[in-house]
Amino acid sequence: MNAANRLTPYLFMAPAVVIMAMALIYPLGYMMYGSFLDWNPSQTIGEAEFVGTKNYVTLWNDPNFHESLWVTLKFAFFCVSIEMVLGVGLALMLDRNVRGMTFLRTMFILPMMIAPVVVGLMWRYMYHPTVGTFNRTLDGLGLPKIDWLGHHALTSVIIADIWQWTPFIFILALAALQSLPRSAIEAAKIDGATAWQQIWHIKLPLMMPVLIVTGLLRLIDAFKVLEVILVLTEGGPGLSTEILALRISRTATEFRELGVAAAMSNYLLMLLLLLTVAMFAFTRWQEARANRLRAAVEEDT
Amino acid sequence: MPTIHLDKLVKRYDAVKVLHGIELEMAEHEFTVLVGPSGCGKSTTLRMIAGLESVSDGEIYFDGKPVSHLEPKDRELAMVFQDYALYPHMNVARNMSFALRLQKRPRAEIDKKVKEVAATLGLSEYLHRKPAELSGGQRQRVAMGRALTRDAGTFLFDEPLSNLDAKLRGQMRAELALMSQRVQKNMIYVTHDQIEAMTLADRIVVMHSGVIQQQGRPEELFKKPVNKFVAGFLGTPPMNFLDATLEARGDEVFAVAEGFALRLEGEKTALSNSASNRGVTLGVRPSDIEYAPAAPADRALQLNVLVSEYVGAQSVLLCQSGSNKVTVEVKSETPLALGQTLTFAVDPNRIHLFDRKSEAAL
Ligand SMILES: Nc1ncnc2c1ncn2[C@@H]1O[C@H](COP(=O)(O)OP(=O)(O)OP(=O)(O)O)[C@@H](O)[C@H]1O
Ligand SMILES: [Mg+2]
């Protein structure tokens, strides 16, 4: 009876676990195994030769991989930090009940709804050195043209990503903002807080849990961006915009090295895992520290 | 510490009007208590004074200067919210010191002030807890503490003691009374508790459906309510209301119904000219009726005692007189038998008469 009781929850969880295993663990395991093979797309996985950690070692010493990793890190860092600042800033500005605000908010999230390939094409046209919107405008103003997708390729790619994904942070931040306890903000007003102080001392700290998750989601996404960059620059010029996802795709299709591509994916996965775990560990550590401090003080009094 | 004047204050939420021209003048250092049934607009009034709700019509003056366009922070007030409104991410000490920290006061001064206030509120042990880790009553005390650490000119309290147990509430009430004498601030206080209202107030304001019914000193409202609502609202157990008819007999006026014919005295005899055979509502407080078997007929009330509720030194009797229910407060040692019709006496000077239709006092 007792044992049965204890097992019941697992019984209920079983279907979910099975689905998880099939949908997540199997492909992951497949990729893991593949990363230890010298594997050509024309071979089945059974025919590929097992080479141990060779793929990992090769990548570890490959300067092109390093370059690609570095580009990815730069891209993700700038995209996510600028998007967070803009998205949260916009949310703070538009969190009021003025007529027409609903319409404005809807307008703001339009970019997110456009297919990435279309976004890439759009921006590629706007960045065009001679007939693109930007350079024509600059020209019209008598300013020198900018070599958007050449010299400043990474910046241009980052701008396009910011344009597309700031709305994501905007709507999540806005939702967080609107679910804050109104009364705490009112209390802050009474306590003499200016608009800035309300944001800094009340709103942002209370939004923080949502913002952390949002940032994390964006970060994971930014590490995997593919289409926009593929359409805009194809990773060029040189390796200047070849982020890891692009390199993985090219390794698999152009260089026909599935094993190396899988190994690269695993490196990316480990990086993301590390970031996520570090983030959660950090918040845990902060909580634990606050608790310890409090316990110590309460024991004194 | 300004004088506060509310001039024909109106609050509308879209089409719904919840305050109908509140007219109120509060002197410097005055302790004003707003009372009234739930939903009558007490919190709304308070929040408009604080600047948290916009003014639909009328104006609020502090020291003669209109303030309804000012932000809450420019009105120099502290407030205890009905729902506490604590900062969930700050511990008790930081909640209480938030305003002082914004003002960039020296650390030592802030610490001292917080410790002091926490001690009077019995919160010293909890200074490092977050609001989520406190009981309802503790949170309410933190809300109180947050207001008391400020040295604002005006304090607004929205039912600040509603969630405390009786003993703690008594203590806090005494603390507040002491403080209001000591610090000389304007206090505007909303409560449902009669004892709080009566003991703390310099001025009581009774509201009903967004309209002020009466305002004045507690005794004034208790002894001379201007209408049936105020009479019934103040005092526990509440005043008895009986339907009666006025009858002139010679030079004298009687209030007559089944079970009594009470002779009116003093200024109420003036009613004789206007009001022969006029239907009125007679009001008499339970404490103004006493058991008196030998009462003269013109003061006597025949009551059938149904239930006796023992509440310590006093007992509350629930009685029947004709079709009316009447409550009577008597000393517990009074020898009474249930189920019998007995004679009680009414002090003729303590009788209230109200017009049946308008419910205004006569
Ligand atoms: N935002 C709002 N929109 C519409 N009506 C409102 C709003 N806020 C309050 N009211 C109405 O205004 C009236 C007064 O509300 P208020 O909160 O001032 O009552 P109160 O006297 O404080 O009651 P309580 O003793 O229950 O706290 C109520 O009838 C309420 O329904
Ligand atoms: Mg209220």
Side-chain angles (χ1 to χ4, degrees):
Chain A
M1 170 71 198
N2 227 335
N5 260 350
R6 248 180 293 133
L7 288 178
T8 319
Y10 295 100
L11 201 69
F12 281 111
M13 273 165 58
V17 171
V18 170
I19 291 173
M20 275 268 284
M22 292 203 313
L24 195 71
I25 312 287
Y26 178 74
L28 209 64
Y30 203 83
M31 187 180 76
M32 284 291 178
Y33 179 61
S35 69
F36 296 111
L37 303 176
D38 183 0
W39 184 15
N40 188 296
S42 59
Q43 299 168 306
T44 65
I45 195 163
E47 294 165 346
E49 185 191 348
F50 189 84
V51 293
T53 56
K54 176 167 162 270
N55 292 333
Y56 289 95
V57 176
T58 317
L59 282 174
W60 190 258
N61 297 317
D62 180 1
N64 286 348
F65 175 69
H66 295 169
E67 178 66 24
S68 191
L69 189 64
W70 179 233
V71 170
T72 310
L73 288 174
K74 271 196 293 194
F75 176 81
F77 173 78
F78 283 111
C79 282
V80 175
S81 40
I82 296 173
E83 282 163 18
M84 287 298 284
V85 172
L86 285 181
V88 174
L90 272 175
L92 287 168
M93 269 177 358
L94 296 184
D95 175 33
R96 46 190 77 167
N97 290 318
V98 186
R99 199 183 298 264
M101 196 52 81
T102 324
F103 175 73
L104 207 61
R105 283 182 201 142
T106 318
M107 292 300 294
F108 268 114
I109 59 173
L110 270 182
M112 215 172 64
M113 302 189 224
I114 304 174
V117 176
V118 180
V119 173
L121 287 170
M122 229 167 67
W123 281 85
R124 188 161 146 183
Y125 174 72
M126 293 199 289
Y127 280 142
H128 193 280
T130 50
V131 299
T133 320
F134 293 133
N135 275 356
R136 280 224 312 262
T137 312
L138 286 176
D139 215 24
L141 295 172
L143 296 169
K145 290 183 181 174
I146 293 176
D147 184 12
W148 292 105
L149 294 177
H151 224 71
H152 304 285
L154 188 60
T155 314
S156 302
V157 168
I158 290 174
I159 292 175
D161 191 87
I162 290 172
W163 179 83
Q164 190 178 19
W165 287 108
T166 299
F168 174 74
I169 291 166
F170 166 71
I171 48 169
L172 287 186
L174 194 65
L177 207 51
Q178 294 186 332
S179 64
L180 291 190
R182 280 273 149 231
S183 58
I185 296 166
E186 289 179 343
K189 285 183 189 164
I190 298 273
D191 272 346
T194 60
W196 274 112
Q197 287 169 327
Q198 286 167 38
I199 290 173
W200 193 248
H201 294 291
I202 311 291
K203 292 182 185 173
L204 283 181
L206 288 180
M207 287 163 75
M208 205 38 90
V210 175
L211 293 186
I212 287 177
V213 173
T214 311
L216 208 55
L217 282 178
R218 266 313 293 145
L219 201 63
I220 291 172
D221 242 25
F223 275 108
K224 301 187 303 190
V225 167
L226 184 62
E227 297 100 321
V228 176
I229 296 182
L230 193 65
V231 175
L232 267 178
T233 65
E234 289 178 70
L239 291 181
S240 66
T241 58
E242 184 164 281
I243 67 163
L244 269 183
L246 193 57
R247 189 170 182 82
I248 292 170
S249 135
R250 288 178 59 189
T251 310
T253 54
E254 276 175 47
F255 311 147
R256 303 173 67 78
E257 292 177 26
L258 289 184
V260 181
M264 221 180 308
S265 303
N266 277 341
Y267 270 131
L268 185 58
L269 186 69
M270 281 188 272
L271 189 67
L272 286 176
L273 224 53
L274 209 68
L275 267 170
T276 316
V277 170
M279 198 86 124
F280 281 117
F282 179 71
T283 43
R284 274 286 172 79
W285 174 76
Q286 270 193 326
E287 268 169 36
R289 200 183 55 148
N291 282 343
R292 263 206 318 280
L293 257 172
R294 201 190 58 207
V297 174
E298 279 185 13
E299 232 151 72
D300 287 351
T301 50
Chain B
M1 286 141 267
T3 61
I4 298 175
H5 176 59
L6 310 184
D7 183 25
K8 303 202 185 57
L9 209 55
V10 170
K11 179 68 189 176
R12 257 181 243 109
Y13 289 110
D14 297 322
V16 190
K17 207 168 169 189
V18 298
L19 290 184
H20 303 262
I22 296 292
E23 187 75 46
L24 193 55
E25 176 99 44
M26 288 166 266
E28 223 176 332
H29 310 329
E30 203 171 37
F31 202 119
T32 308
V33 173
L34 302 182
V35 294
S38 183
C40 70
K42 308 178 297 286
S43 296
T44 308
T45 310
L46 216 57
R47 290 167 56 82
M48 282 166 90
I49 296 173
L52 296 171
E53 298 283 349
S54 62
V55 172
S56 309
D57 228 325
E59 184 55 81
I60 301 169
Y61 298 93
F62 283 13
D63 278 336
K65 283 190 283 289
V67 296
S68 60
H69 59 282
L70 288 183
E71 289 289 315
K73 71 179 169 59
D74 301 321
R75 300 190 188 192
E76 292 230 346
L77 26 80
M79 178 163 174
V80 180
F81 288 78
Q82 187 167 10
D83 59 354
Y84 319 148
L86 300 178
Y87 309 123
H89 59 299
M90 297 185 197
N91 64 26
V92 171
R94 291 176 69 77
N95 257 287
M96 286 176 34
S97 61
F98 185 60
L100 299 179
R101 282 186 285 129
L102 290 181
Q103 293 166 9
K104 303 240 160 31
R105 299 286 187 83
R107 191 77 194 267
E109 183 196 326
I110 295 178
D111 282 352
K112 182 161 162 282
K113 187 85 199 176
V114 169
K115 287 227 173 70
E116 235 173 67
V117 175
T120 52
L121 295 172
L123 287 171
S124 303
E125 297 159 52
Y126 307 112
L127 283 178
H128 294 271
R129 295 236 190 135
K130 296 261 178 75
E133 299 155 348
L134 298 174
S135 75
Q138 289 164 342
R139 283 181 215 171
Q140 193 158 35
R141 280 181 279 158
V142 177
M144 189 86 162
R146 191 172 56 185
L148 299 188
T149 48
R150 307 264 314 272
D151 45 14
T154 306
F155 286 83
L156 308 175
F157 298 97
D158 199 343
E159 304 190 22
L161 308 181
S162 59
N163 243 329
L164 305 183
D165 61 62
K167 181 161 163 253
L168 205 50
R169 190 185 292 203
Q171 276 174 23
M172 294 291 139
R173 198 170 58 223
E175 251 347 299
L176 264 175
L178 263 178
M179 192 190 99
S180 76
Q181 283 170 14
R182 201 176 55 225
V183 298
Q184 300 280 302
K185 302 282 167 91
N186 291 338
M187 313 250 183
I188 308 178
Y189 192 103
V190 171
T191 182
H192 277 127
D193 186 318
Q194 302 252 338
I195 304 174
E196 265 169 48
M198 289 293 185
T199 54
L200 291 173
D202 294 320
R203 173 204 301 275
I204 292 191
V205 179
V206 180
M207 293 177 65
H208 182 44
S209 312
V211 178
I212 292 185
Q213 303 291 316
Q214 189 177 7
Q215 49 172 308
R217 283 177 299 111
E219 312 84 277
E220 206 174 305
L221 267 70
F222 191 75
K223 292 197 177 132
K224 284 203 161 50
V226 297
N227 59 27
K228 191 177 156 192
F229 177 81
V230 176
F233 191 79
L234 293 180
T236 40
M239 187 184 274
N240 296 298
F241 295 109
L242 307 165
D243 287 338
T245 319
L246 292 186
E247 273 182 34
R249 296 179 184 167
D251 325 338
E252 292 175 330
V253 189
F254 287 80
V256 182
E258 191 190 338
F260 62 86
L262 299 169
R263 186 163 52 85
L264 301 184
E265 281 188 5
E267 59 213 43
K268 291 202 181 66
T269 49
L271 290 166
S272 61
N273 332 326
S274 62
S276 211
N277 293 324
R278 171 177 178 185
V280 295
T281 303
L282 181 142
V284 56
R285 294 195 186 278
S287 53
D288 293 335
I289 305 175
E290 57 178 348
Y291 176 58
D298 60 359
R299 288 181 53 195
L301 198 56
Q302 304 298 328
L303 297 175
N304 183 8
V305 183
L306 301 176
V307 182
S308 166
E309 288 173 338
Y310 177 78
V311 281
Q314 305 283 318
S315 287
V316 176
L317 308 178
L318 186 62
C319 313
Q320 182 98 26
S321 159
S323 57
N324 295 304
K325 290 267 190 303
V326 176
T327 47
V328 178
E329 215 173 28
V330 293
K331 289 230 165 52
S332 285
E333 56 266 28
T334 317
L336 287 170
L338 296 188
Q340 293 190 0
T341 301
L342 302 170
T343 305
F344 290 78
V346 179
D347 181 346
N349 292 310
R350 300 282 179 85
I351 289 176
H352 303 266
L353 292 176
F354 304 98
D355 188 89
R356 273 236 191 111
K357 271 227 187 65
S358 69
E359 304 198 334
L362 296 176

